[in-house]
Amino acid sequence: VVGLVGSEMCIRDSIPAIRDLGLFAVVGMASLAITTLSFLPATLQLLGVGQRGTRSVAEFALLARFLTRVGGRAYGNRRTILSSAVVIVFIALVGADRIRVDSDVLAYFGRNSEVRQANDAINTQVVGTNPFYLVIEGAEPGRLARWDALRQIKDLQTFLQGLPGITSSISVVDYLELLEAGLNRGGRDDLVVDEEGNIVPVEESLTFWEDPKNLEPLLAMVRSSPATFASVVTKDFDRANVIVRTQLSGSRAIEETLAKIRRYIAHRFPAELRVRPTGTLVLFTGTSSEIVAGQVRSLSLALAVIFVVMAFMFLSVKVGSLAVLPNLLSIAFFFGLIGLSLIHIS
C-alpha cells in the first residue's frame, strides 16, 4: 500500500523523470497484485497442499508459545510501553525539526579540488558563477518601453544588489544608460560659443530618468538593432529579461533569496507586469523542494490509506487507529534520528 501510494504521488509530480518512474511503479504494483490474487492461488491449488511434518508442527507450537508470552508481557506493561512510545515520538519530532534539506552540487567536491578553487576564484575576482533570470512580461506590446516600467526594473536591480550572494544584474536599463552615457560623453569636449563669439560652458544634458523625453531616441536605437539586445528585451518590448549572477550554490540559500525577491515583486510591481524567476538554478531549487514536499504528501497519504483499509477490514475505527500507530512511530523515529544525528540531506 505504501509503495502504491508513493507511486501515485510521484505521478502527480511535475518532474517528468519522477512522473515516469511513478507510472512504471504503479504498473508494476498492479501487475504484482493481479498475479498474487489470481495466478498464485490457482498454481497453489494445482500443486496441492502437503501434510505438515511433526517437526514443523512442533516448531509452530514453540513459536506460538513464544509469541503468546511476548504478547502477555506487552499487555502487562502496556502503560510503560505507551509512555515510552510517547517520549520517543516527542524526541523524534524535536529531532525532525532540525532536519535541513540543502542540495549543493559543489559540496560533492573537496575544498582543495580544482572545481572548487576555480569556482571560488571566479566568484571573488570576476563575477558570480551561478546565474538565474527574472522574466518580466507586459500585458501589451510596448509596455516595457514606458518610463515607469523601466523605473521599476531599475529599482528591482537596486534591491537585488542589496541581497547577500548576488554580485550583479544586467537588464535593458543598463544598456539604455550605457547608450546615453556614450551619447552625452561625445559632446563634452565640444566648444560652444555665443552670438558674440565668447566660449560658454557646455550645458549638462539631463538623463532620461530626469527628463523622460530623452528616452525615445535611446529606445529608437534599441529598436533599430533588436538582435543586439535580444538577451534582455524583445523587439516589441513586451518581454524583458534581468540576468542575475550570484555566488549562491546551496538550494536552501537560493530558496530564501528567491522568496525575498517574490515578496518584493508582489508588493512593488503592478498586476499588468508579471515577473517570474527561471533558469537552471531556480529549476534545480524547485526540484529539491518538490521532492521533499512530495515525500511528506506520500507518507501522509500512505498513513491515511492504511487507516481506511484497516478500519474497513475490521469494521472498527479503533483498529484502524491502532494500525497507524506502529507506522507513525517508525516514521517519526527514522526522521528524528536523521535530525539528531545532523545527517546532511541533499
Short mmCIF file of all heavy atoms in Angstrom, two decimals, residues 107-158:
data_model
loop_
_atom_site.label_atom_id
_atom_site.label_comp_id
_atom_site.label_asym_id
_atom_site.label_seq_id
_atom_site.Cartn_x
_atom_site.Cartn_y
_atom_site.Cartn_z
N ALA A 107 29.22 20.87 -3.01
CA ALA A 107 29.58 20.16 -1.78
C ALA A 107 30.15 18.77 -2.08
O ALA A 107 30.83 18.19 -1.22
CB ALA A 107 28.35 20.04 -0.88
N TYR A 108 29.90 18.25 -3.26
CA TYR A 108 30.45 16.94 -3.62
C TYR A 108 31.93 17.01 -3.97
O TYR A 108 32.58 15.98 -4.11
CB TYR A 108 29.67 16.35 -4.80
CG TYR A 108 28.23 16.06 -4.47
CD1 TYR A 108 27.21 16.88 -4.93
CD2 TYR A 108 27.89 14.96 -3.69
CE1 TYR A 108 25.89 16.62 -4.63
CE2 TYR A 108 26.57 14.69 -3.38
CZ TYR A 108 25.57 15.53 -3.85
OH TYR A 108 24.26 15.27 -3.54
N PHE A 109 32.46 18.22 -4.13
CA PHE A 109 33.88 18.39 -4.42
C PHE A 109 34.60 18.89 -3.17
O PHE A 109 34.08 19.70 -2.42
CB PHE A 109 34.08 19.39 -5.57
CG PHE A 109 33.44 18.99 -6.86
CD1 PHE A 109 32.14 19.41 -7.17
CD2 PHE A 109 34.11 18.20 -7.77
CE1 PHE A 109 31.54 19.03 -8.35
CE2 PHE A 109 33.51 17.82 -8.96
CZ PHE A 109 32.23 18.24 -9.25
N GLY A 110 35.81 18.39 -2.96
CA GLY A 110 36.60 18.81 -1.82
C GLY A 110 37.02 20.26 -1.92
O GLY A 110 37.04 20.86 -3.01
N ARG A 111 37.38 20.84 -0.76
CA ARG A 111 37.79 22.24 -0.73
C ARG A 111 39.01 22.50 -1.62
O ARG A 111 39.18 23.59 -2.16
CB ARG A 111 38.12 22.65 0.71
CG ARG A 111 36.89 22.85 1.58
CD ARG A 111 36.19 24.12 1.19
NE ARG A 111 35.00 24.36 2.02
CZ ARG A 111 34.18 25.38 1.84
NH1 ARG A 111 34.41 26.24 0.87
NH2 ARG A 111 33.13 25.54 2.62
N ASN A 112 39.87 21.52 -1.73
CA ASN A 112 41.11 21.69 -2.50
C ASN A 112 40.99 21.20 -3.93
O ASN A 112 42.00 21.17 -4.66
CB ASN A 112 42.26 20.95 -1.80
CG ASN A 112 42.54 21.52 -0.42
OD1 ASN A 112 42.44 22.73 -0.20
ND2 ASN A 112 42.90 20.65 0.52
N SER A 113 39.81 20.80 -4.35
CA SER A 113 39.63 20.32 -5.72
C SER A 113 39.72 21.48 -6.71
O SER A 113 39.45 22.64 -6.37
CB SER A 113 38.29 19.61 -5.87
OG SER A 113 37.22 20.52 -5.70
N GLU A 114 40.08 21.17 -7.94
CA GLU A 114 40.21 22.21 -8.96
C GLU A 114 38.88 22.90 -9.23
O GLU A 114 38.84 24.10 -9.51
CB GLU A 114 40.77 21.60 -10.25
CG GLU A 114 42.20 21.09 -10.13
CD GLU A 114 42.73 20.56 -11.45
OE1 GLU A 114 42.00 20.67 -12.46
OE2 GLU A 114 43.87 20.06 -11.48
N VAL A 115 37.80 22.13 -9.17
CA VAL A 115 36.48 22.71 -9.44
C VAL A 115 36.15 23.77 -8.40
O VAL A 115 35.71 24.89 -8.74
CB VAL A 115 35.41 21.60 -9.46
CG1 VAL A 115 34.01 22.22 -9.60
CG2 VAL A 115 35.65 20.64 -10.60
N ARG A 116 36.34 23.45 -7.12
CA ARG A 116 36.02 24.42 -6.06
C ARG A 116 36.94 25.64 -6.13
O ARG A 116 36.48 26.78 -5.95
CB ARG A 116 36.15 23.74 -4.69
CG ARG A 116 35.08 22.71 -4.40
CD ARG A 116 33.73 23.36 -4.19
NE ARG A 116 33.68 24.11 -2.97
CZ ARG A 116 33.32 23.61 -1.78
NH1 ARG A 116 33.01 22.32 -1.70
NH2 ARG A 116 33.25 24.36 -0.71
N GLN A 117 38.21 25.42 -6.38
CA GLN A 117 39.14 26.53 -6.46
C GLN A 117 38.83 27.46 -7.63
O GLN A 117 38.87 28.69 -7.50
CB GLN A 117 40.58 26.00 -6.56
CG GLN A 117 41.08 25.33 -5.29
CD GLN A 117 42.48 24.78 -5.43
OE1 GLN A 117 43.06 24.83 -6.52
NE2 GLN A 117 43.03 24.25 -4.34
N ALA A 118 38.51 26.86 -8.78
CA ALA A 118 38.16 27.68 -9.94
C ALA A 118 36.86 28.45 -9.68
O ALA A 118 36.75 29.64 -10.03
CB ALA A 118 38.01 26.79 -11.18
N ASN A 119 35.89 27.79 -9.06
CA ASN A 119 34.62 28.45 -8.75
C ASN A 119 34.83 29.62 -7.78
O ASN A 119 34.27 30.71 -7.98
CB ASN A 119 33.65 27.43 -8.15
CG ASN A 119 32.28 28.03 -7.87
OD1 ASN A 119 31.46 28.20 -8.75
ND2 ASN A 119 32.04 28.37 -6.60
N ASP A 120 35.64 29.41 -6.75
CA ASP A 120 35.90 30.47 -5.78
C ASP A 120 36.65 31.63 -6.42
O ASP A 120 36.39 32.81 -6.12
CB ASP A 120 36.70 29.92 -4.60
CG ASP A 120 35.91 28.92 -3.78
OD1 ASP A 120 34.67 28.94 -3.88
OD2 ASP A 120 36.53 28.12 -3.04
N ALA A 121 37.59 31.32 -7.32
CA ALA A 121 38.35 32.38 -7.98
C ALA A 121 37.45 33.25 -8.85
O ALA A 121 37.55 34.48 -8.85
CB ALA A 121 39.47 31.75 -8.82
N ILE A 122 36.55 32.61 -9.59
CA ILE A 122 35.63 33.38 -10.44
C ILE A 122 34.69 34.22 -9.58
O ILE A 122 34.40 35.38 -9.89
CB ILE A 122 34.84 32.43 -11.36
CG1 ILE A 122 35.79 31.73 -12.34
CG2 ILE A 122 33.77 33.19 -12.13
CD1 ILE A 122 35.13 30.68 -13.19
N ASN A 123 34.20 33.64 -8.49
CA ASN A 123 33.26 34.37 -7.62
C ASN A 123 33.90 35.60 -7.00
O ASN A 123 33.26 36.65 -6.86
CB ASN A 123 32.75 33.45 -6.51
CG ASN A 123 31.59 32.59 -6.97
OD1 ASN A 123 30.84 32.96 -7.86
ND2 ASN A 123 31.46 31.42 -6.39
N THR A 124 35.16 35.49 -6.59
CA THR A 124 35.81 36.59 -5.88
C THR A 124 36.46 37.61 -6.81
O THR A 124 36.53 38.80 -6.49
CB THR A 124 36.87 36.04 -4.91
OG1 THR A 124 37.81 35.22 -5.64
CG2 THR A 124 36.22 35.20 -3.83
N GLN A 125 36.93 37.17 -7.97
CA GLN A 125 37.71 38.05 -8.83
C GLN A 125 36.97 38.51 -10.08
O GLN A 125 37.34 39.52 -10.67
CB GLN A 125 39.00 37.35 -9.26
CG GLN A 125 39.89 36.95 -8.09
CD GLN A 125 41.13 36.19 -8.53
OE1 GLN A 125 41.55 36.31 -9.69
NE2 GLN A 125 41.72 35.42 -7.63
N VAL A 126 35.96 37.77 -10.49
CA VAL A 126 35.26 38.14 -11.73
C VAL A 126 33.80 38.47 -11.44
O VAL A 126 33.43 39.64 -11.24
CB VAL A 126 35.37 37.01 -12.79
CG1 VAL A 126 34.78 37.48 -14.13
CG2 VAL A 126 36.82 36.61 -12.99
N VAL A 127 32.96 37.46 -11.39
CA VAL A 127 31.52 37.65 -11.19
C VAL A 127 30.94 36.35 -10.68
O VAL A 127 31.59 35.30 -10.72
CB VAL A 127 30.86 38.08 -12.52
CG1 VAL A 127 30.82 36.92 -13.50
CG2 VAL A 127 29.47 38.66 -12.28
N GLY A 128 29.71 36.39 -10.18
CA GLY A 128 29.06 35.19 -9.68
C GLY A 128 28.95 34.11 -10.75
O GLY A 128 28.62 34.39 -11.90
N THR A 129 29.22 32.88 -10.36
CA THR A 129 29.23 31.78 -11.33
C THR A 129 27.86 31.19 -11.59
O THR A 129 27.69 30.45 -12.57
CB THR A 129 30.16 30.65 -10.83
OG1 THR A 129 29.73 30.24 -9.52
CG2 THR A 129 31.60 31.13 -10.74
N ASN A 130 26.89 31.47 -10.74
CA ASN A 130 25.58 30.84 -10.87
C ASN A 130 24.53 31.89 -11.24
O ASN A 130 24.11 32.68 -10.39
CB ASN A 130 25.18 30.15 -9.56
CG ASN A 130 26.12 29.02 -9.21
OD1 ASN A 130 26.54 28.27 -10.07
ND2 ASN A 130 26.47 28.91 -7.93
N PRO A 131 24.09 31.91 -12.49
CA PRO A 131 23.09 32.90 -12.89
C PRO A 131 21.67 32.35 -12.80
O PRO A 131 21.44 31.14 -12.86
CB PRO A 131 23.46 33.17 -14.35
CG PRO A 131 23.97 31.84 -14.83
CD PRO A 131 24.65 31.18 -13.65
N PHE A 132 20.73 33.25 -12.63
CA PHE A 132 19.33 32.94 -12.87
C PHE A 132 18.69 34.16 -13.51
O PHE A 132 19.35 35.20 -13.67
CB PHE A 132 18.60 32.51 -11.59
CG PHE A 132 18.46 33.58 -10.54
CD1 PHE A 132 17.35 34.41 -10.51
CD2 PHE A 132 19.43 33.76 -9.56
CE1 PHE A 132 17.21 35.40 -9.55
CE2 PHE A 132 19.30 34.73 -8.59
CZ PHE A 132 18.19 35.55 -8.58
N TYR A 133 17.45 34.05 -13.90
CA TYR A 133 16.83 35.09 -14.72
C TYR A 133 15.47 35.48 -14.15
O TYR A 133 14.74 34.65 -13.61
CB TYR A 133 16.66 34.59 -16.17
CG TYR A 133 17.93 34.02 -16.73
CD1 TYR A 133 18.20 32.65 -16.63
CD2 TYR A 133 18.86 34.83 -17.36
CE1 TYR A 133 19.37 32.11 -17.14
CE2 TYR A 133 20.04 34.29 -17.87
CZ TYR A 133 20.29 32.93 -17.75
OH TYR A 133 21.45 32.40 -18.24
N LEU A 134 15.17 36.76 -14.29
CA LEU A 134 13.85 37.28 -13.93
C LEU A 134 13.18 37.76 -15.22
O LEU A 134 13.58 38.77 -15.80
CB LEU A 134 13.96 38.43 -12.94
CG LEU A 134 14.58 38.09 -11.58
CD1 LEU A 134 14.73 39.34 -10.73
CD2 LEU A 134 13.75 37.05 -10.85
N VAL A 135 12.20 37.01 -15.68
CA VAL A 135 11.50 37.34 -16.92
C VAL A 135 10.31 38.24 -16.58
O VAL A 135 9.46 37.88 -15.77
CB VAL A 135 11.03 36.07 -17.64
CG1 VAL A 135 10.25 36.44 -18.90
CG2 VAL A 135 12.22 35.19 -17.99
N ILE A 136 10.28 39.41 -17.21
CA ILE A 136 9.22 40.40 -16.97
C ILE A 136 8.35 40.47 -18.22
O ILE A 136 8.86 40.75 -19.32
CB ILE A 136 9.80 41.78 -16.64
CG1 ILE A 136 10.80 41.67 -15.48
CG2 ILE A 136 8.70 42.78 -16.32
CD1 ILE A 136 11.57 42.94 -15.22
N GLU A 137 7.08 40.22 -18.06
CA GLU A 137 6.15 40.19 -19.20
C GLU A 137 5.11 41.29 -19.04
O GLU A 137 4.46 41.40 -17.99
CB GLU A 137 5.46 38.82 -19.30
CG GLU A 137 6.44 37.69 -19.54
CD GLU A 137 5.75 36.33 -19.57
OE1 GLU A 137 4.61 36.26 -19.07
OE2 GLU A 137 6.34 35.37 -20.08
N GLY A 138 4.96 42.10 -20.10
CA GLY A 138 3.96 43.16 -20.09
C GLY A 138 2.64 42.67 -20.65
O GLY A 138 2.59 41.68 -21.39
N ALA A 139 1.58 43.36 -20.31
CA ALA A 139 0.26 42.95 -20.76
C ALA A 139 0.01 43.27 -22.24
O ALA A 139 -0.90 42.72 -22.85
CB ALA A 139 -0.82 43.62 -19.90
N GLU A 140 0.85 44.14 -22.81
CA GLU A 140 0.65 44.56 -24.20
C GLU A 140 2.00 44.93 -24.81
O GLU A 140 2.96 45.23 -24.07
CB GLU A 140 -0.29 45.77 -24.26
CG GLU A 140 0.21 46.94 -23.42
CD GLU A 140 -0.78 48.07 -23.32
OE1 GLU A 140 -1.93 47.89 -23.78
OE2 GLU A 140 -0.39 49.14 -22.81
N PRO A 141 2.14 44.89 -26.13
CA PRO A 141 3.40 45.30 -26.77
C PRO A 141 3.74 46.74 -26.42
O PRO A 141 2.87 47.62 -26.37
CB PRO A 141 3.11 45.13 -28.26
CG PRO A 141 2.01 44.12 -28.33
CD PRO A 141 1.17 44.35 -27.10
N GLY A 142 5.01 46.99 -26.18
CA GLY A 142 5.47 48.34 -25.84
C GLY A 142 5.32 48.70 -24.39
O GLY A 142 5.72 49.80 -23.98
N ARG A 143 4.77 47.79 -23.57
CA ARG A 143 4.56 48.13 -22.15
C ARG A 143 5.87 48.37 -21.43
O ARG A 143 5.96 49.25 -20.56
CB ARG A 143 3.79 46.98 -21.48
CG ARG A 143 3.53 47.21 -19.98
CD ARG A 143 2.62 48.40 -19.77
NE ARG A 143 2.31 48.61 -18.36
CZ ARG A 143 3.08 49.30 -17.52
NH1 ARG A 143 4.22 49.84 -17.97
NH2 ARG A 143 2.73 49.48 -16.26
N LEU A 144 6.90 47.63 -21.79
CA LEU A 144 8.18 47.76 -21.09
C LEU A 144 9.04 48.88 -21.65
O LEU A 144 10.16 49.08 -21.17
CB LEU A 144 8.95 46.43 -21.16
CG LEU A 144 8.24 45.26 -20.49
CD1 LEU A 144 9.03 43.98 -20.67
CD2 LEU A 144 8.04 45.54 -19.00
N ALA A 145 8.55 49.61 -22.66
CA ALA A 145 9.26 50.77 -23.17
C ALA A 145 8.83 52.04 -22.44
O ALA A 145 9.41 53.11 -22.67
CB ALA A 145 9.01 50.92 -24.67
N ARG A 146 7.86 51.94 -21.57
CA ARG A 146 7.39 53.12 -20.82
C ARG A 146 8.34 53.43 -19.67
O ARG A 146 8.98 52.54 -19.09
CB ARG A 146 5.98 52.87 -20.30
CG ARG A 146 4.94 52.87 -21.42
CD ARG A 146 3.62 52.30 -21.02
NE ARG A 146 3.12 52.80 -19.75
CZ ARG A 146 1.95 52.46 -19.23
NH1 ARG A 146 1.17 51.61 -19.89
NH2 ARG A 146 1.57 52.94 -18.07
N TRP A 147 8.44 54.71 -19.35
CA TRP A 147 9.39 55.17 -18.33
C TRP A 147 9.12 54.53 -16.98
O TRP A 147 10.05 54.14 -16.28
CB TRP A 147 9.28 56.70 -18.22
CG TRP A 147 10.31 57.31 -17.31
CD1 TRP A 147 11.54 57.77 -17.66
CD2 TRP A 147 10.18 57.52 -15.90
NE1 TRP A 147 12.20 58.26 -16.57
CE2 TRP A 147 11.38 58.12 -15.46
CE3 TRP A 147 9.18 57.28 -14.97
CZ2 TRP A 147 11.61 58.48 -14.14
CZ3 TRP A 147 9.41 57.63 -13.64
CH2 TRP A 147 10.60 58.21 -13.24
N ASP A 148 7.84 54.40 -16.61
CA ASP A 148 7.53 53.85 -15.29
C ASP A 148 7.94 52.38 -15.17
O ASP A 148 8.42 51.94 -14.12
CB ASP A 148 6.04 54.02 -14.99
CG ASP A 148 5.17 53.28 -16.00
OD1 ASP A 148 5.55 53.22 -17.18
OD2 ASP A 148 4.10 52.77 -15.60
N ALA A 149 7.78 51.62 -16.26
CA ALA A 149 8.18 50.21 -16.23
C ALA A 149 9.70 50.09 -16.10
O ALA A 149 10.21 49.25 -15.35
CB ALA A 149 7.69 49.50 -17.49
N LEU A 150 10.43 50.94 -16.84
CA LEU A 150 11.89 50.91 -16.74
C LEU A 150 12.36 51.33 -15.35
O LEU A 150 13.34 50.80 -14.82
CB LEU A 150 12.49 51.84 -17.80
CG LEU A 150 12.25 51.43 -19.26
CD1 LEU A 150 12.75 52.50 -20.21
CD2 LEU A 150 12.92 50.09 -19.57
N ARG A 151 11.64 52.25 -14.74
CA ARG A 151 11.98 52.68 -13.39
C ARG A 151 11.80 51.53 -12.40
O ARG A 151 12.61 51.35 -11.48
CB ARG A 151 11.09 53.85 -12.99
CG ARG A 151 11.31 54.42 -11.60
CD ARG A 151 12.55 55.27 -11.55
NE ARG A 151 13.69 54.59 -10.95
CZ ARG A 151 14.88 55.14 -10.77
NH1 ARG A 151 15.11 56.36 -11.20
NH2 ARG A 151 15.86 54.47 -10.21
N GLN A 152 10.76 50.74 -12.59
CA GLN A 152 10.53 49.60 -11.71
C GLN A 152 11.61 48.53 -11.89
O GLN A 152 12.02 47.90 -10.92
CB GLN A 152 9.14 49.02 -11.97
CG GLN A 152 8.02 49.91 -11.44
CD GLN A 152 6.65 49.47 -11.90
OE1 GLN A 152 6.50 48.98 -13.02
NE2 GLN A 152 5.65 49.64 -11.06
N ILE A 153 12.05 48.34 -13.12
CA ILE A 153 13.15 47.40 -13.37
C ILE A 153 14.42 47.89 -12.70
O ILE A 153 15.17 47.12 -12.09
CB ILE A 153 13.36 47.19 -14.87
CG1 ILE A 153 12.12 46.54 -15.50
CG2 ILE A 153 14.60 46.35 -15.14
CD1 ILE A 153 12.21 46.39 -17.02
N LYS A 154 14.68 49.19 -12.80
CA LYS A 154 15.86 49.78 -12.16
C LYS A 154 15.80 49.60 -10.64
O LYS A 154 16.80 49.24 -10.01
CB LYS A 154 15.94 51.27 -12.51
CG LYS A 154 17.09 52.00 -11.87
CD LYS A 154 18.42 51.56 -12.42
CE LYS A 154 19.56 52.41 -11.88
NZ LYS A 154 20.89 51.96 -12.39
N ASP A 155 14.66 49.86 -10.05
CA ASP A 155 14.51 49.69 -8.60
C ASP A 155 14.67 48.22 -8.20
O ASP A 155 15.23 47.92 -7.14
CB ASP A 155 13.14 50.20 -8.15
CG ASP A 155 13.01 51.71 -8.30
OD1 ASP A 155 14.06 52.38 -8.39
OD2 ASP A 155 11.87 52.21 -8.33
N LEU A 156 14.18 47.32 -9.05
CA LEU A 156 14.35 45.89 -8.77
C LEU A 156 15.82 45.51 -8.76
O LEU A 156 16.29 44.76 -7.88
CB LEU A 156 13.60 45.07 -9.83
CG LEU A 156 13.80 43.55 -9.78
CD1 LEU A 156 13.33 42.97 -8.45
CD2 LEU A 156 13.07 42.87 -10.94
N GLN A 157 16.59 46.04 -9.69
CA GLN A 157 18.02 45.75 -9.72
C GLN A 157 18.74 46.32 -8.51
O GLN A 157 19.66 45.71 -7.97
CB GLN A 157 18.64 46.30 -11.01
CG GLN A 157 18.22 45.55 -12.26
CD GLN A 157 18.94 46.06 -13.50
OE1 GLN A 157 18.39 46.85 -14.26
NE2 GLN A 157 20.18 45.63 -13.70
N THR A 158 18.31 47.48 -8.07
CA THR A 158 18.89 48.06 -6.85
C THR A 158 18.60 47.18 -5.65
O THR A 158 19.47 46.96 -4.80
CB THR A 158 18.32 49.47 -6.62
OG1 THR A 158 18.59 50.29 -7.76
CG2 THR A 158 18.95 50.12 -5.39
#
